């Protein structure tokens, strides 16, 4: 029996159409718009002005706090303006808009493709450089990685877990990255291990990526302390709490971070970015994005500069199909529906998913028949049906007692509910309100 | 022994026992509750809506009795009369809070604001608001999912299905503020009812610059500043590309209404020659229309009928021309001088 | 792609629906219905058709004229209620009683609480017990199996195995003697015994169970815990005094034990939400059923036991929570 | 096992609320929350036992010897009223914290038919002292059981979409009816 | 006019059973037939009226703190009197009401409390009030009794309306009592709103 | 278990002294909002005063607060105030009847046993005071 | 917060009460009230004592009259109070005509009813043949067990017990192998009824001598 996490879980149709498609480099667009808030934490502060010329990899916005990240120009050209532009959040966000002119990189960046195994920096330097390179979690949460790498005093980390699960249906960017940049990821892993001062790392990969498991296992033989763990296919295995549970059987307590159980989780893409930052001096300004969907002509994986309009990516995959009803940034379970295809790709964009009309709308909501399916699939052991009702009736105290804050927003409950209840919608509302109440209480 | 005698003895003994116990109870439990609390509670409307800031009318009554200074306490539901009555009981001075009413500060009806997306999630404005800016290009305006209507305990709001916007039934609104609290977009606001229920406000909260704002919604405030300039009382300020009329300063001269290029400023209950309070208006709805200086642009689709709960049905009342204190339906109640033709 | 749809995640759905579940249960009930028609013939047909039609009609009328809400009759739950109500009644019940039963089941048991999903008690059982108490005579005269396939109200009647045993034991007849009067276990398995129209065929009900388990309409927890508890409890009693208490096999095959455990205790709406809770619920039903059967006034206790445990469901849900992630102390 | 019979009968078979119709007011009134239901049950049990003890003594030592049984109603109700007062005073005096936690329920009890009803029933049934007290205890537990189940269901219904016209008392009564229906299954168990 | 209002409020607006939900035990307990309901209702009315009369007479000479116990004594006295009278002259009814006769005491304490409490009414008003509340209570009980008897055994005041075999026994039993009252209250609420 | 974890009451601060805050509890039970309260004995419950032995700087008289009873307070209170004495009564009754067979005596004794019990409780007052502390939690809104 | 409505509330407002709540006043008032109440109760009691007793006696008399043939004595005076083997109190009212025992009315009971005790008055001829019966008290379910009042008198099928002699017929329900048809769907009540009849019969027979002796005197 393959390992997996202990509670709940679902297995949606995988639909990995773009699996095995080589990573293509997307042509540089004529204009990019780079939001200053692409990560969890404080938005960065722009350090360029209208009319400035920038090079690829030049810093254009600086981290504005501990939990924040630098942003580097993904292209070379002129800053056209700094203005509010619609982004994936559905609201207008301050963004730096750059008109592209050529492709001139900062000289410090090593553009060679050769593998560099030798880690020269010290742990502290690695963390610092990760921060400078603006690396944030590419697994979706876009949490600034250097923060995670700075283990708080009093806590110890004894294991690094790499998230190569990619449990979201449709998405294949991590998969393809592991196939093509396996060695780099492993070196990146060693860098992270060094930064965290641990001697063990596990790369968790779901069993629907047998080729990646095989490939990585073979490569990992040469690297000390790194093991590959094949995992049973089950959503949301990629959730870090679930992944830790699946790989090493530890449960992160309610409201605590993984470090509580001595683990740090990083996405494989993040690890690759760390490799590039440390060994090649290349900050984070491009990433692999999967473009896919049932009716997409050429689903594929594209190395894309941050700030590229989603439209361009879709063009590269064969254009937008006639019957598209929904464009999702990310996977179908956790991704965000985009209000328009004009929004830019950001550091957190792991995929663009086009849904045909018939799959774009939800079924009619009926009343809860107490079938308990949502309860049985919830990976956190919550009672989604109750949380939704409590939220609708604004009974916040009870919601808190029922641990609404534990919800990882995986959406398994909404996915499974036969009555099509918008469980997660209301649970999010509840999390927001309860979180606010809790904060005001602690004040 | 004589039954009667035994009966008397038995009962008397019991009676004595009860008396003694009671006596001690009385000693121990001297709880004095100010009787005025009850009296005050009597005069309060018993709506228990929390509009006063206290959980329930009784709590408010207690506060009235107990606080030394009650000038800043107010029961919006009962209004001045109630407060006067209560003040008399407790022998204190009440503040003279001007009566308020809720207004909807968005006029982005379906025609005014073309849809660019369609929403398919939980029917709840707050949830929708966390997800996106709205189904239209305006990320500030009303989402139209009616959370404010749900919040209102007084049947004072309904969603106009034609416009997709909420409507306040002025006669029912007690200014409890529940809708204001509920709206995640800050569309709802409590404002002075104003003399004869007349008031002027900017029915827009869009902070985008003129171009995008106008593109997203034909009646958006574009922050052009014309109204600010024309106002003789400094009642209008423009901040973040958005005009705001301070109701305390506004003298209802209506100059701003006429200068606004997008008809974003609404005037309510301004028949030209209205000799009587609004009630009268209903009767003369038609006439009034004629008399309004600036003809009401659209037929009163939503003019609220005075009927207390016209709720769901109202939108059908195309024919009902009575306009009355129904408040602000954006369309009808905007007697802007020129406006777009009756679209609908 | 003029207007893109926007909605919060997730953007995919399992495709499961209330209808699928309900129709699944109906399909699972078909074998039992077939056996019922085979064993009781015309009577079973009339009872079933009347009960279903009346249930659906009442739901429709109440929603349309009293509650003024959109009709939900197509979701299949009213059909199940009607079908199970019919399965819980003798096949010679007059039509007017069936109609009262359906009215009570749907009107009192379900719609008064707001319809599907809100009722604390199993509607079919509310209807059934209401009738049992209101019309004890009609509700406890059981047509004989295989002999009345063309008869309806005038069917010849006899006692159910549980009735025979209960009466017999009350008169001091020994159990071994009584066992000769009741049908053989094989007959019980295929349905050749007296009883409510749908409860008799053990095999057919088990087929239904298998179908529902495979389609994941229900989980094993409730049926297994109900039947297991009954078997254990009956086993202990019978072991302690084989002449006074019937054994587990007898209890499981008779008196609607299977029908109740498989189809009625499992009703989503009126059963607990967690696996642990379901097991507690099932154990409670098992214990109370045997208690009523052996010591109470009624020969069969399934209906009451389920209703009684229905009342405990809110408490169970309140205090029995699923294991929560992060609770494990390492 | 006489006592076992009395107990089973009073809790399940002849449940005070669900089949004897006593104490309905607090049953309907104090059942909106589970926690309140539990406090109420404790208070009722306590008062019921003491009241039974005292009224039993009065009956045997005063009313019967003097042959004035017709004074039963008036003496019992006075005693109960006084007793509840006394319990309150004692509790308050002895332990204010306890009083604060539980005093709420006491006044509700004076006008609870169940207390007077049980006192009278023990006399009618001609129970001896021990039986009376066991009966009173079991009756109170039966009351508590019904109350707790009922409160649980009502809490759940608060979250359900009960039709407008049925909300509140009507649906509570229907639930009580169905609960009573279910409890009929215990018939003749003892 | 005022008196009339005072009297009539007990029937509808402040009906003890349907609106105030007071005195539920006898309401449910004795209404297995219309006649029982009526008997109980009248007995209660008698006690209520008499007690109101006496209380309003003596209210000025009772220290506040013993007002309630005094009231209890008065009520209990009248209850006992009713009890004895019924036993003597309508033994059959007495038998069928059983325990609920002494329980009138509790009930009347509840029903009459506001009166005792405020004691702001004259003798006449008190009687009218007692009469109104009492008769309203009697009406409710009779109504419920009729419904239950009719549904349960096909009779009304013991007169057969349809064959007993068609009656739904539940309605003369405990569950039926709750259910019938539940729906009656729902209907009356609805009527009140309409 | 949530129901047992704490009890919550709404109250108004009545009096503040250096180490004690007296809070008036209102509408403790379902009665407060009930339409029948005028006619119901239960609503006679006057407000209760609860002492909170905890001083918070930002409290003012007349302020509305939420009182939070300690975890597990309710069952403990029920146990101490009712369940224990009940058990005591039953035990005394049983023993006395078994030994003497004298019912009135048993009745009297078992009632009498409450006296020492409550005396003990009385002396434990201070201790209980601590177990049963309420804390003030600000009202949200 | 003082319970039971002993509150100081409105009093302060309605300054109606003219009397202080001093201990003395309270005691006095209550004493007076209870005394008045006691007096009136005592008198009503005295007044109704007779009618109550009469009502009871009448009921009993009626029952006896119904179940035994004509008699000339006052059976209530000659009552013999016994205890059955099962421990139930049984009263036997001998009915005599011209000092000749013509029958007995036996007030008998059982606790096996569906709702508990069932109390009957059964009239037996001296040889034990049942003359008639009346149900005095029961708690059976209306519509089911209550049918016993008429059922066993109705001459239909094997329902009736009149004219049967428990000594010679098997007076148990047919389900239990006896000769009497049980009430439909109320076997338990039927059994209880027959059980009470049997108890009455046996107690009567066991003490027949004593009763006849009484007759002889
Ligand atoms: C406020 C906050 C503080 C965090 N601090 C740390 C930290 O100190 N160490 C760490 O390893 N991760 C930290 N995290 C990151 C989380 O463990 C987690 O990786 C991140 O929220 C993304 O989770 P996901 O990718 O499962 O969605 C923090 C996250 C948040 C929101
Ligand atoms: C429900 C859920 C599913 C997730 N699935 C994945 C996944 O498939 N792959 C992944 O790398 N991260 C996934 N994540 C994010 C991880 O929890 C975690 O944030 C990430 O692995 C941390 O690494 P990063 O900071 O390098 O992104 C998921 C998070 C959640 C809540
Ligand atoms: C509410 C109710 C009341 C009942 N009352 C009686 C009763 O008064 N007497 C009785 O013998 N059985 C009574 N029963 C029991 C049943 O009618 C029952 O079926 C009985 O156990 C024996 O049935 P049988 O006579 O058909 O064998 C009652 C059952 C219920 C549900
Ligand atoms: C597995 C399952 C079992 C069901 N069992 C019953 C049942 O026993 N009685 C019934 O009335 N409805 C039953 N239903 C239908 C439906 O859930 C029921 O009518 C609801 O209780 C009505 O709210 C069942 C449905 C399912 C899915
Ligand atoms: S979204 Fe939250 S509640 Fe729903 S299944 Fe996931 S963790 Fe559980
Ligand atoms: S899955 Fe849906 S229907 Fe089932 S219990 Fe959860 S919310 Fe209710
Ligand atoms: S419209 Fe708003 S302010 Fe007015 S009553 Fe309704 S919720 Fe209160
Ligand atoms: S005004 Fe606010 S709350 Fe009301 S519908 Fe619009 S967005 Fe929603
Ligand atoms: S009448 Fe209220 S408790 Fe009985």
């Amino acid at each position: 029996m393959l390992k997996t996490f202990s509670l709940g879980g679902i297995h949606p149709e995988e639909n990995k159409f773009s699996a095995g498609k080589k990573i293509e480099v997307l042509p540089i667009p004529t204009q990019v718009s780079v939001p200053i808030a692409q990560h969890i934490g404080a938005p960065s502060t722009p350090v360029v002005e209208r009319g400035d010329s920038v090079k690829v990899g030049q810093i254009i916005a600086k981290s504005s706090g501990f939990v924040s990240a630098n942003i580097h120009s993904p292209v070379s050209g002129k800053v056209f303006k700094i203005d509010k532009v619609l982004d994936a959040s559905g609201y207008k966000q301050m963004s730096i808009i750059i008109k592209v002119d050529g492709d001139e990189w900062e000289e410090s960046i090593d553009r060679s493709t050769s593998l560099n195994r030798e880690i020269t920096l010290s742990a502290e330097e690695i963390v610092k450089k990760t921060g400078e390179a603006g690396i944030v979690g590419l697994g979706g949460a876009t949490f600034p990685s250097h923060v995670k790498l700075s283990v708080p005093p009093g806590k110890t980390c004894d294991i690094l877990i790499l998230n190569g699960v990619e449990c979201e249906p449709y998405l294949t960017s991590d998969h393809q990255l592991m196939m093509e940049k396996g060695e780099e990821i492993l070196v990146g892993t060693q860098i992270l291990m060094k930064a965290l001062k641990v001697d063990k790392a596990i790369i968790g990969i779901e069993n629907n990526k047998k080729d990646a498991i095989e490939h990585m296992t073979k490569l990992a033989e040469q690297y000390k302390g790194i093991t590959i763990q094949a995992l049973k296919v089950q959503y949301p295995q990629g959730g870090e709490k679930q992944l830790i549970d699946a790989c090493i059987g530890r449960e992160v307590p309610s409201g605590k971070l993984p470090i509580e159980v001595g683990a740090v989780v990083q996405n494989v893409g993040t690890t690759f970015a760390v490799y590039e930052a440390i060994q090649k001096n290349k900050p984070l300004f491009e990433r692999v994005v999967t473009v896919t969907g049932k009716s997409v002509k050429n689903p594929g994986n594209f190395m894309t500069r941050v700030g590229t309009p989603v439209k361009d990516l879709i063009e590269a995959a064969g254009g937008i199909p006639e019957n598209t009803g929904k464009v999702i940034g990310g996977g179908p379970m956790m991704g965000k529906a985009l209000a328009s295809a004009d929004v830019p790709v950001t550091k957190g964009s792991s995929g663009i998913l086009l849904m045909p009309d018939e799959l774009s709308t939800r079924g009619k909501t009926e009343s809860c028949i107490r079938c308990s399916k949502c309860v049985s699939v919830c990976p956190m052991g919550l009672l989604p049906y109750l949380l939704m009702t409590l939220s609708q009736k604004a009974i916040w105290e009870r919601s808190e007692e029922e641990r609404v804050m534990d919800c990882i927003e995986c959406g398994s409950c909404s996915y499974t509910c036969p009555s099509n209840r918008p469980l997660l919608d209301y649970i999010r509302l509840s999390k927001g309100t309860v979180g606010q109440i809790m904060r005001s209480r602690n004040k | 022994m004589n039954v009667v005698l035994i009966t008397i003895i038995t009962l008397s003994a019991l009676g004595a026992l009860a008396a003694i116990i009671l006596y001690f109870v009385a000693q121990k439990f001297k709880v004095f509750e100010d009787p005025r609390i009850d009296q005050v509670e009597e005069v309060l409307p018993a709506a228990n809506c929390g509009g006063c800031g206290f959980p329930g009318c009784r709590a408010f009554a207690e506060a009235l009795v107990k606080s030394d200074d009650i000038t800043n306490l107010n029961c919006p539901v009962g209004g001045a009369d109630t407060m006067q009555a209560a003040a008399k009981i407790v022998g204190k001075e009440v503040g003279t809070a001007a009566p308020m009413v809720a207004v909807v500060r968005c006029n982005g009806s379906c025609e005014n604001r073309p849809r660019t997306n369609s929403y398919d999630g939980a029917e709840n404005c707050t949830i929708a608001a966390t997800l996106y800016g709205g189904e239209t290009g305006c990320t500030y305006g009303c989402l139209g999912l009616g959370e404010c209507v749900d919040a209102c305990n007084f049947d004072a709001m309904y969603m106009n299905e034609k416009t997709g916007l909420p409507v306040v039934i002025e006669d029912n609104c007690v200014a409890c503020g529940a809708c204001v609290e509920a709206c995640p977009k800050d569309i709802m606001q409590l404002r002075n009812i104003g003399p004869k229920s007349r008031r002027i406000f900017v029915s827009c909260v869009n902070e985008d610059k003129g171009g995008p704002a106008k593109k997203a919604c034909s009646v958006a405030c574009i922050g052009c500043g014309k109204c600010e300039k024309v106002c003789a009382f400094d009642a209008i300020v423009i901040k973040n590309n958005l005009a705001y009329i301070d109701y305390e300063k506004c003298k209802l001269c209506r100059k701003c209404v006429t200068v606004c290029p997008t008809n974003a400023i609404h005037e309510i209950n301004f028949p030209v020659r209205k000799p009587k309070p609004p009630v009268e208006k209903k009767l003369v709805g038609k006439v009034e229309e004629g008399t309004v200086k600036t003809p009401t642009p659209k037929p009163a689709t939503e003019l609220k009928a005075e009927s207390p709960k016209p709720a769901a049905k109202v939108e059908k009342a195309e024919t009902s021309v009575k306009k009355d204190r129904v408040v602000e339906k954006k369309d009808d109640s905007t007697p802007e001088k020129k406006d777009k033709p009756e679209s609908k | 792609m003029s207007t893109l749809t926007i909605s919060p995640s997730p953007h995919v759905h399992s495709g499961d629906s209330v209808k699928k579940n309900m129709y699944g249960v109906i399909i699972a009930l078909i074998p039992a219905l077939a056996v019922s028609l085979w064993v009781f013939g015309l009577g079973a047909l009339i009872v079933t058709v009347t009960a279903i039609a009346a249930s659906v009609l009442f739901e429709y009328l109440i929603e349309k004229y009293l509650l003024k809400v959109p009709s939900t009759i197509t979701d299949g739950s009213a059909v199940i209620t009607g079908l199970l109500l019919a399965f819980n009644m003798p096949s010679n019940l007059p039509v007017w009683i069936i109609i009262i039963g359906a009215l009570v089941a749907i009107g009192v048991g379900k719609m008064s609480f707001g319809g599907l999903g809100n009722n604390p008690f199993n509607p079919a059982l509310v209807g059934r017990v209401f009738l049992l108490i209101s019309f004890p005579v009609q509700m406890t005269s059981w047509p004989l199996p295989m002999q009345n396939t063309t008869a309806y109200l005038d069917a010849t009647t006899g006692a159910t195995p549980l009735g025979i045993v209960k009466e017999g034991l009350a008169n001091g007849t020994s159990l071994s003697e009584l066992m000769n009067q009741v049908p053989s276990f094989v007959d019980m398995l295929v349905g050749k015994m007296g009883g409510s129209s749908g409860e008799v065929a053990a095999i057919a009900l088990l087929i239904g169970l298998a179908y529902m388990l495979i389609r994941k309409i229900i989980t094993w927890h409730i049926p297994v815990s109900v039947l297991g508890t009954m078997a254990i409890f009956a086993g202990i009693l019978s072991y302690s005094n084989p002449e006074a208490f019937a054994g587990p096999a007898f209890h499981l095959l008779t008196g609607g034990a299977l029908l109740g455990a498989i189809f009625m205790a499992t009703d989503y709406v009126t059963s607990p939400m967690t696996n642990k809770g379901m097991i507690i619920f099932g154990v409670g039903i098992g214990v109370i059923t045997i208690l009523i059967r052996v010591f109470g006034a009624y020969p069969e206790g399934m209906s009451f036991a389920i209703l009684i445990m229905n009342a405990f469901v809110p408490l169970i849900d309140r205090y029995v929570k699923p294991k929560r992630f992060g609770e494990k102390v390492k | 096992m006489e006592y076992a019979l009395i107990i089973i009968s009073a809790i399940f078979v002849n449940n005070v609320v669900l089949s004897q119709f006593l104490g309905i007011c607090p049953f309907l009134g104090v059942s909106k929350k589970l926690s309140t239901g539990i406090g109420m049950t404790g208070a009722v049990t306590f008062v019921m036992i003491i009241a039974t003890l005292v009224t039993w003594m009065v009956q045997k030592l005063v009313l019967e010897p003097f042959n004035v049984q017709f004074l039963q109603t008036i003496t019992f109700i006075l005693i109960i009223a006084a007793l509840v007062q006394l319990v309150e005073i004692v509790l308050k005096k002895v332990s204010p914290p306890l009083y604060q936690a539980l005093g709420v329920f006491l006044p509700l009890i004076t006008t609870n038919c169940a207390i007077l009803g049980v006192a009278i029933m023990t006399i009618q049934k001609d129970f001896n002292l021990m039986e009376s007290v066991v009966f009173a205890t079991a009756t109170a537990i039966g009351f508590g059981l019904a109350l707790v189940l009922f409160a649980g269901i009502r809490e759940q219904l608060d979250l359900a979409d009960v039709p407008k016209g049925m909300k509140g008392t009507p649906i509570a009564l229907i639930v009580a009816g169905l609960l009573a229906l279910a409890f009929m299954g215990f018939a003749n168990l003892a | 006019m005022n008196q009339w209002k005072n009297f009539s409020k007990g029937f509808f607006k402040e009906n003890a059973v349907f609106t105030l939900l007071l005195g539920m035990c006898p309401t449910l307990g004795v209404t297995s037939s219309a006649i029982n309901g009526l008997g109980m209702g009248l007995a209660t009315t008698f006690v209520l009226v008499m007690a109101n009369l006496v209380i309003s007479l003596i209210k000025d000479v009772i220290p506040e703190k013993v007002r309630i116990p005094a009231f209890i004594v008065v009520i209990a006295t009248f209850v006992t009197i009713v009890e004895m009278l019924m036993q003597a002259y309508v033994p059959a009814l007495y038998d069928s009401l059983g325990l609920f006769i002494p329980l009138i005491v509790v009930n009347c304490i509840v029903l009459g409390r506001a009166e005792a409490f405020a004691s702001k009414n004259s003798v006449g008003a008190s009687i009218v009030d007692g009469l109104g509340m009492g008769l309203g209570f009697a009406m409710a009980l009779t109504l419920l009794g009729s419904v239950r008897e009719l549904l349960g055994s096909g009779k009304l005041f013991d007169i057969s309306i349809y064959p007993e075999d068609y009656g739904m026994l539940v309605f003369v039993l405990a569950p039926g009592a709750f259910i019938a009252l539940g729906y009656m209250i729902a209907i009356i609420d609805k009527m009140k709103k309409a | 278990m949530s129901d047992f974890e704490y009890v919550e009451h709404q109250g108004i601060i009545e009096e503040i002294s250096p180490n004690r805050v007296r809070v008036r509890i209102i509408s403790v039970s379902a009665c407060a909002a009930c339409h029948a309260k005028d006619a119901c004995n239960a609503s006679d419950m006057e407000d209760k005063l609860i002492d909170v032995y905890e001083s918070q700087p930002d409290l003012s008289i007349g302020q509305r607060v939420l009182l939070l009873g300690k975890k597990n307070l309710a069952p403990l209170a029920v146990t101490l105030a009712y369940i224990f004495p009940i058990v005591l009564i039953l035990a005394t009754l049983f023993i006395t009847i078994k030994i003497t067979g004298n019912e009135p005596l048993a009745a009297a004794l078992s009632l009498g046993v409450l006296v020492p019990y409550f005396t003990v409780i009385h002396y434990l007052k201070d201790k209980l005071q601590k177990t049963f502390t309420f804390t003030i939690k600000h009202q949200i809104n | 917060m003082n319970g039971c409505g002993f509150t100081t509330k409105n009093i302060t407002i309605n300054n109606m009460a003219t009397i202080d709540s001093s201990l003395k006043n309270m005691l006095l008032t209550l004493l007076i009230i209870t005394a008045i109440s006691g007096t009136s109760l005592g008198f009503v009691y005295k007044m109704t004592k007779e009618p109550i007793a009469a009502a009871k006696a009448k009921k009993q008399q009626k029952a006896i009259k119904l179940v035994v043939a004509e008699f000339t004595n006052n059976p209530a005076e000659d009552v013999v109070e016994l205890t059955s083997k099962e421990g139930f109190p049984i009263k036997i009212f001998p009915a005599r005509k011209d000092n000749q025992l013509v029958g007995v009315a036996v007030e008998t009971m059982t606790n096996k009813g569906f709702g508990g005790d069932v109390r009957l008055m059964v009239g037996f001829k001296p040889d034990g043949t049942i003359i008639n019966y009346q149900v005095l008290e029961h708690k059976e379910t209306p519509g089911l067990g209550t049918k016993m009042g008429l059922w066993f008198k109705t001459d239909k099928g094997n329902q009736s017990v009149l004219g049967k002699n428990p000594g010679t017929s098997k007076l148990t329900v047919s389900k239990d192998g006896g000769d009497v048809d049980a009430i439909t769907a109320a076997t338990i009540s039927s059994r209880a009824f027959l059980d009470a009849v049997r108890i009455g019969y046996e107690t009567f027979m066991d003490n027949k001598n004593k009763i006849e002796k009484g007759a002889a005197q």
Side-chain angles (χ1 to χ4, degrees), chain D residues 52-67 69 72 76 122-129 132, chain F residues 103-104 107:
Chain D
T52 306
L53 280 172
V54 179
T55 52
W56 190 88
M57 283 208 291
V58 170
Q59 175 79 17
K60 298 290 165 189
L61 300 182
V62 181
L63 302 185
E64 282 181 15
F66 294 110
N67 214 7
Q69 286 97 327
Q72 202 185 45
F76 282 16
T122 56
I123 307 296
Q124 275 181 359
K125 296 195 175 205
D126 213 12
F127 281 151
N128 67 29
L129 179 63
S132 305
Chain F
E103 292 196 331

Side-chain angles (χ1 to χ4, degrees), chain B residues 104 125 141-149 159 166 179 182-185 187-188:
Chain B
V104 182
C125 299
C142 173
L143 298 168
L145 299 171
E147 206 168 330
C148 46
V149 175
M159 291 305 292
C179 51
C183 178
K185 298 286 217 176
I187 307 283
M188 302 302 301

Side-chain angles (χ1 to χ4, degrees), chain D residues 21-27 108-109 111-115 143, chain E residues 21-27 100 103 106-107 110 137:
Chain D
F21 298 115
L22 293 177
I24 310 275
C25 298
F27 177 71
L108 283 170
I109 291 177
T111 45
N112 180 343
C113 302
I115 308 270
F143 177 78
Chain E
L21 305 173
L22 295 171
M24 293 314 252
C25 299
T27 303
F100 289 99
L103 290 181
V106 177
N107 201 359
V110 175
F137 185 68

Side-chain angles (χ1 to χ4, degrees), chain D residues 54-129:
Chain D
V54 179
T55 52
W56 190 88
M57 283 208 291
V58 170
Q59 175 79 17
K60 298 290 165 189
L61 300 182
V62 181
L63 302 185
E64 282 181 15
F66 294 110
N67 214 7
V68 283
Q69 286 97 327
F70 68 94
L71 289 182
Q72 202 185 45
T73 311
I74 189 166
T75 47
F76 282 16
I77 187 72
L78 266 177
I79 287 172
I80 290 170
L83 208 65
V84 173
Q85 285 295 296
L86 204 66
V87 172
E88 245 190 297
I89 303 178
V90 170
L91 211 53
K92 163 118 195 178
K93 186 100 192 99
V94 156
S95 177
L98 281 188
Y99 174 77
Q100 289 183 345
L102 295 168
V104 202
F105 301 114
L106 287 170
L108 283 170
I109 291 177
T110 321
T111 45
N112 180 343
C113 302
I115 308 270
L116 182 59
V118 166
I120 295 177
M121 274 200 286
T122 56
I123 307 296
Q124 275 181 359
K125 296 195 175 205
D126 213 12
F127 281 151
N128 67 29
L129 179 63

Side-chain angles (χ1 to χ4, degrees), chain B residues 292-309:
Chain B
V292 175
K293 214 195 298 183
T294 46
T296 313
K298 328 200 161 172
T301 1
E302 36 227 50
L303 291 181
K304 186 12 32 343
E306 62 284 75
S307 76
K309 344 159 100 191

